[in-house]
Amino acid sequence: MNRAASEPALLAWIDTLTERLGKALAWLVLVMMLVQFLIVVLRYLFNFNSIPMQESVMYMHAALFLLAASYTLKHDGHVRVDIFYRGFSPRAQAWVDLLGTLFLLLPFMGFVILSSLGYVGASWAILEGSPDNGGIPAVFLLKTLIPAFAGLMIVQGIAEIIRKSLIISGRLPPQPKHDHSEEPI
């Protein structure tokens, strides 16, 4: 049975969105490395320093980690202590993931959104810029990544709830787990 054909439309849509966002953000790693390399070359070969270039690396780093967290969740790439989990059946693992999403992930991400709204709103109200002269005048956009991160995690959390519910009910086969223990670091 074709896995994609058996998924509900909402699940497929969220997974596609998350997958595309994650793959687009992967290119940011290359851009970030090139900018950082250019910063080092300019500083040590030409004694030239650029605050906007340095801050741009920080912005890209924040965007990459905050916005790609949902992609990592989709691919089960977050760190977990699975002393017992790895020995569970796929159905039991789905139960653990479902309950973890419902009682840990979603409430915490809701808390992140609610607690960051004042912080982000105050930054937007003054269009907060860099504290450094000549820095990027968009700290308000950087801070906006916080609720965006939590929102994307909630959306992917909904997809995980749907997926795990389908696995528990037997309407979707469990996803094959990738064993990363043999991969080189």
Side-chain angles (χ1 to χ4, degrees):
M1 177 163 80
N2 182 358
R3 184 176 180 89
S6 63
E7 290 182 356
L10 178 61
L11 176 58
W13 182 83
I14 293 172
D15 279 350
T16 299
L17 173 75
T18 301
E19 197 67 29
R20 287 182 181 167
L21 178 62
K23 289 185 178 187
L25 286 167
W27 286 100
L28 203 52
V29 174
L30 179 62
V31 173
M32 191 169 52
M33 286 177 21
L34 292 172
V35 171
Q36 186 63 55
F37 178 76
L38 185 58
I39 289 169
V40 171
V41 168
L42 290 173
R43 180 180 294 152
Y44 292 105
L45 292 182
F46 300 103
N47 200 26
F48 177 79
N49 187 29
S50 171
I51 292 172
M53 285 177 65
Q54 289 175 352
E55 286 186 358
S56 74
V57 172
M58 178 183 64
Y59 277 58
M60 288 184 278
H61 190 260
L64 178 66
F65 280 91
L66 289 171
L67 300 179
S70 60
Y71 177 86
T72 305
L73 176 62
K74 177 183 181 293
H75 290 280
D76 196 27
H78 288 282
V79 174
R80 77 167 72 222
V81 179
D82 62 352
I83 297 167
F84 302 109
Y85 180 88
R86 74 178 105 184
F88 289 173
S89 70
R91 189 166 185 260
Q93 288 178 347
W95 271 110
V96 170
D97 292 340
L98 176 66
L99 295 173
T101 301
L102 285 171
F103 296 112
L104 297 172
L105 177 74
L106 294 182
F108 183 71
M109 290 302 129
F111 172 76
V112 169
I113 289 174
L114 292 175
S115 64
S116 69
L117 288 179
Y119 176 71
V120 174
S123 185
W124 271 88
I126 61 169
L127 297 177
E128 184 179 4
S130 174
D132 296 319
N133 285 336
I136 298 174
V139 171
F140 62 99
L141 293 175
L142 184 64
K143 289 181 178 182
T144 302
L145 293 175
I146 298 167
F149 146 74
L152 288 168
M153 289 295 284
I154 287 171
V155 169
Q156 188 58 43
I158 291 167
E160 295 306 310
I161 289 169
I162 295 168
R163 183 180 349 276
K164 301 310 176 183
S165 296
L166 291 171
I167 290 170
I168 291 166
S169 68
R171 294 185 289 171
L172 190 66
Q175 293 174 297
K177 296 286 182 187
H178 300 290
D179 183 14
H180 299 288
S181 62
E182 299 286 323
E183 292 180 7
I185 296 176

